[in-house]
């Protein structure tokens, strides 16, 4: 597998509890490198645009409110097989199903407030990186 880039968010439940460093350490221990990072506070409309793929889901409004409730840390992670590796380190969406040692098993509060986002495929990784970062911020 080649070196890839993926997009990651440390979500409001985690930034509020001052867990940013512990979560970044999990990525680094797994061989992922943070090549771009910024802390920002999304508006609900911006959160809605980012999660537009889920617009028809029953949890969409609550998800957008949550993502705009406190700052997030948007990041680009780079490494071998980074998209799958990030998903592995994150753990399952519902922390009750997340494997021991994963970020969600250790830190997530609920299926909604689950501490991290990670891209699920090369196409979404490219779109999500471009949504948050300009070319100048991506020199690595
Ligand atoms: N989510 C939720 N309720 C659900 C499923 C998902 O609130 O029943 C939220 C949760 O924050 C999740 C996000 O919506 O991380 C996106 O859902 P997805 O199925 O893409 O999960 P992920 O890719 O984040 O594991
Ligand atoms: Mg997803």
């Amino acid at each position: 597998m080649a070196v890839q880039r993926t997009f990651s968010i440390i979500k409001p439940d985690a930034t509020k509890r001052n867990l940013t460093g512990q979560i970044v350490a999990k990525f680094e221990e797994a061989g992922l490198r943070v090549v771009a990072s910024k802390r920002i506070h999304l508006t609900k409309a911006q959160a809605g645009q980012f999660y537009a793929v889920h617009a028809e889901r029953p949890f969409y409004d609550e998800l957008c409110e949550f993502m705009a409730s406190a700052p997030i840390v948007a990041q680009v992670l780079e490494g071998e097989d980074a998209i799958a590796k990030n998903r592995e380190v994150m753990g399952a969406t519902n922390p009750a199903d997340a494997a021991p040692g994963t970020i969600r098993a250790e830190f997530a509060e609920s299926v909604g407030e689950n501490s991290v986002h990670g891209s699920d495929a090369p196409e979404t990784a490219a779109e999500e990186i471009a949504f948050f970062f300009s070319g100048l911020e991506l020199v690595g």
Side-chain angles (χ1 to χ4, degrees), residues 69-131:
S69 66
I72 63 160
V73 179
Q75 308 177 102
V76 180
L77 305 178
E78 185 178 88
E80 282 288 322
D81 208 5
I83 296 167
K85 191 174 285 179
N86 179 37
R87 297 290 308 193
E88 195 180 306
V89 177
M90 288 165 61
T93 308
N94 186 340
D97 302 327
T102 60
I103 292 168
R104 284 167 165 169
E106 288 197 10
F107 302 123
E109 300 199 294
S110 65
V111 65
E113 305 204 1
N114 58 4
S115 304
V116 278
H117 164 84
S119 307
D120 57 13
E123 300 71 34
T124 48
E127 280 170 24
E128 291 172 359
I129 289 170
F131 185 85

Side-chain angles (χ1 to χ4, degrees), residues 34-50:
V34 178
V35 296
S37 175
K38 61 182 165 193
R39 185 177 176 98
I40 46 178
H41 196 147
L42 295 175
T43 64
K44 189 177 173 185
Q46 289 168 333
Q49 204 183 335
F50 177 71

Side-chain angles (χ1 to χ4, degrees), residues 9 11-12 41-42 47 51 62-70 72:
I9 292 176
K11 292 184 177 181
H41 196 147
L42 295 175
Y51 271 126
E62 196 182 351
L63 175 62
C64 297
E65 286 277 354
F66 163 59
M67 292 300 289
S69 66
I72 63 160

Side-chain angles (χ1 to χ4, degrees), residues 51-64 93 111:
Y51 271 126
V53 65
H54 294 306
E56 304 306 321
R57 309 280 288 276
F59 56 79
Y60 179 66
D61 191 67
E62 196 182 351
L63 175 62
C64 297
T93 308
V111 65

